[in-house]
DNA sequence: TAGTGGTCTAGACCACTAC
DNA sequence: TAGTGGTCTAGACCACTAT
């Protein structure tokens, strides 16, 4: 009952037309499709109806728009496959894929832990945590936002090591003498928040792969709670099982 | 440059207003928010501007709409966590979570394999495959669509066993004498196709967790290539590592 | 019948791009 | 300057819900 589609006649006709033209390669990768005005005269509908149709097709990942220029067919298989493994940091795991990559610390705070952080990191209430917002680039494109939550008691004086930030994993290994290991991860599909839209330079036409990760010290103690938001159009997880 | 937001002033103001009211519990779970007309007079903007704002907030998963009734605040943590493990079928893995579930065979074909299927299943061109479209329900709600591709040479006469379909995994175990095991899985976030929207009874306001899975025979031969599309608002993967 | 959300039309103005 | 996409207004009509 809730949210069911109904009577989309004209809009869907235009959506299918565009997708079909792309599939049969009449609208080719990287080239401009007809403008909103051209399509509205072609289909004898209002420009806004065309806009709604194009918006849907963009949302499906087929198109992107540049103001003043037009609407272009997106290269489809441009996504990066990222292997999920419990050990090693982002850089190490991407190095095997020969990609340029960089990390940028957007901002950090030291505050008392919130409810979900207390639960994930097994803290007592009122304990302090560092909260780091990190933006990750691959081939100069912002691809992911991470919020990393780290207990102060495990990482005392962390702020002293954040100058010239390049890799949290390496800071931990170098200054605290261990390598965190992934214990638990959840994966879901969602949409970008307004903040993440700005950081990732995307609109709501792109979906988000959201993960929550708990990393532990080799002795078993949870030491990092990480919430990542990754561009769904450029990124894909891969999992390999060794039975 | 591409797809950057700009000058959303009014729309964003309304978006933030609605989300804020939900967060501070002034708009409560399951209750109606003010109608489009009420909001448009409140903010002194056109109804269509309100509609665009509400559409964004719906897309973020906060709201759902019922025609003729209004717009309601969605219960947020209604999602099912599904553990990723290499062994066992959907039913087995969900039974531990004490959920009702069912599978329905939507349709099936026997055709020559396509390029991606040939690659995934290591077939030679022109080999036949069964292609099964399966809809999965949890608690009576359609939650996922699976397309399962199975080589005819591995599953001869599969069509004879599809009457009274309830679980592909169990059909294979019963009639072909082995249990497939997951070897490789990719996970991405995307949007529903028009067909999947109908089957899952959703609109494009809900994101999709898409997985491609290669299952193998215990001897190592790939025997099933499965493309699943799962409702992003109700479903989440979990991964547990044993180091 | 009145109120709600859903679709479509019509037109204005803006910001950006190309020439 | 002309063309393009982005935002906003204004109003019509439809389908559905409640009374």
């Amino acid at each position: 009952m809730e949210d069911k589609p109904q009577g989309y006649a004209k809009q869907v006709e235009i959506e299918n037309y565009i997708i079909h033209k792309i599939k049969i390669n009449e609208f080719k990768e990287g080239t401009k499709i007809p403008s909103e005005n051209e399509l509205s005269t072609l289909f004898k509908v209002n420009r806004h109806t065309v806009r709604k149709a194009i918006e849907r097709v963009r949302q499906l990942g087929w198109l992107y728009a540049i103001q003043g220029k037009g609407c272009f067919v997106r290269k489809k298989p441009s996504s990066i496959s990222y292997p999920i493994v419990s050990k090693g940091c982002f850089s190490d795991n991407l190095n095997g894929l020969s990609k340029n990559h960089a990390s940028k610390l957007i901002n950090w705070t030291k505050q008392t832990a919130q409810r979900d952080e207390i639960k994930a990191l097994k803290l007592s209430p009122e304990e302090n945590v560092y909260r780091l917002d990190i933006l990750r680039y691959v081939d100069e494109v912002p691809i992911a936002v991470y919020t990393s939550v780290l207990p102060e008691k495990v990482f005392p004086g962390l702020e002293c090591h954040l100058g010239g930030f390049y890799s949290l994993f390496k800071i931990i290994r170098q200054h605290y003498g261990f390598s965190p290991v992934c214990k638990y991860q959840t994966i879901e599909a969602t949409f970008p928040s307004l903040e993440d839209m700005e950081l990732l330079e995307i609109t709501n036409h792109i979906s988000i792969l959201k993960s929550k990760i708990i990393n532990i010290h080799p002795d078993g103690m949870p030491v990092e709670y990480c919430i990542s938001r990754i561009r769904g159009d450029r990124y894909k997880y891969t999992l390999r099982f060794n039975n």
Side-chain angles (χ1 to χ4, degrees), chain A:
Chain A
M1 197 64 66
E2 120 196 0
D3 265 352
K4 279 261 189 65
Q6 54 153 328
Y8 276 112
K10 300 188 179 178
Q11 190 180 317
V12 168
E13 189 189 345
I14 300 168
E15 283 172 38
N16 289 338
Y17 169 83
I18 297 170
I19 292 175
H20 180 247
K21 289 287 187 185
I22 296 174
K23 279 187 175 167
I24 65 171
N25 210 34
E26 206 159 308
F27 295 167
K28 295 184 211 309
E29 271 188 14
T31 64
K32 200 174 95 55
I33 69 164
S35 74
E36 294 175 354
N37 283 320
E38 285 171 326
L39 286 171
S40 63
T41 58
L42 174 62
F43 282 91
K44 298 187 183 64
V45 297
N46 189 273
R47 185 187 150 213
H48 289 103
T49 307
V50 172
R51 276 185 68 76
K52 287 278 279 182
I54 288 178
E55 199 170 310
R56 271 278 302 156
V57 182
R58 284 173 59 184
Q59 209 166 47
L60 288 171
W62 296 99
L63 299 174
Y64 62 93
I66 302 180
Q67 196 181 67
K69 291 184 78 171
C71 217
F72 298 82
V73 180
R74 195 186 281 284
K75 285 199 221 72
K76 274 297 277 185
S78 62
S79 74
I80 302 160
S81 291
Y82 182 73
I84 296 184
V85 291
S86 66
K87 293 180 172 63
C89 66
F90 184 79
S91 318
D92 293 342
N93 292 328
L94 267 189
N95 276 335
L97 304 171
S98 66
K99 293 276 182 187
N100 292 327
H101 52 83
S103 289
K104 189 174 154 191
L105 182 63
I106 302 297
N107 81 66
W108 66 272
T109 59
K110 185 167 78 174
Q111 291 176 331
T112 56
Q114 293 167 356
R115 202 185 323 166
D116 55 328
E117 298 164 351
I118 289 170
K119 195 180 157 203
L121 294 169
K122 294 183 185 162
L123 302 175
S124 50
E126 308 298 324
E127 268 189 274
N128 275 338
V129 292
Y130 291 98
R131 227 171 271 126
L132 276 58
D133 290 317
I134 298 162
L135 188 53
R136 289 235 160 101
Y137 299 83
V138 174
D139 292 339
E140 273 75 49
V141 178
I143 205 94
V145 191
Y146 284 71
T147 301
S148 187
V149 182
L150 306 143
E152 189 189 16
K153 67 177 178 195
V154 181
F155 302 99
L158 180 62
E159 57 265 56
C160 304
H161 311 303
L162 296 179
F165 179 90
Y166 61 111
S167 163
L168 180 58
F169 189 87
K170 283 170 184 159
I171 289 173
I172 294 174
R173 196 161 51 190
Q174 187 177 337
H175 293 98
Y176 299 92
F178 68 94
S179 295
V181 168
C182 181
K183 181 65 182 171
Y184 184 69
Q185 177 166 6
T186 66
I187 303 169
E188 54 190 308
T190 177
F191 292 92
S193 70
L194 294 172
E195 291 82 3
D196 292 344
M197 272 171 54
E198 266 192 53
L199 288 170
L200 295 174
E201 297 171 18
I202 57 175
T203 62
N204 61 332
H205 298 96
I206 288 174
S207 60
I208 289 288
L209 250 189
K210 186 171 179 179
S211 277
K212 297 181 182 176
I213 298 166
I214 295 176
N215 284 325
I216 59 172
H217 187 281
D219 72 8
M221 174 181 54
V223 294
E224 184 189 6
Y225 175 48
C226 182
I227 304 105
S228 70
R229 290 86 75 195
I230 304 174
R231 281 183 73 148
D233 62 333
R234 301 267 178 122
Y235 208 90
K236 141 170 77 170
Y237 281 130
T238 62
L239 260 167
R240 195 173 292 280
F241 296 96
N242 299 306
N243 301 291

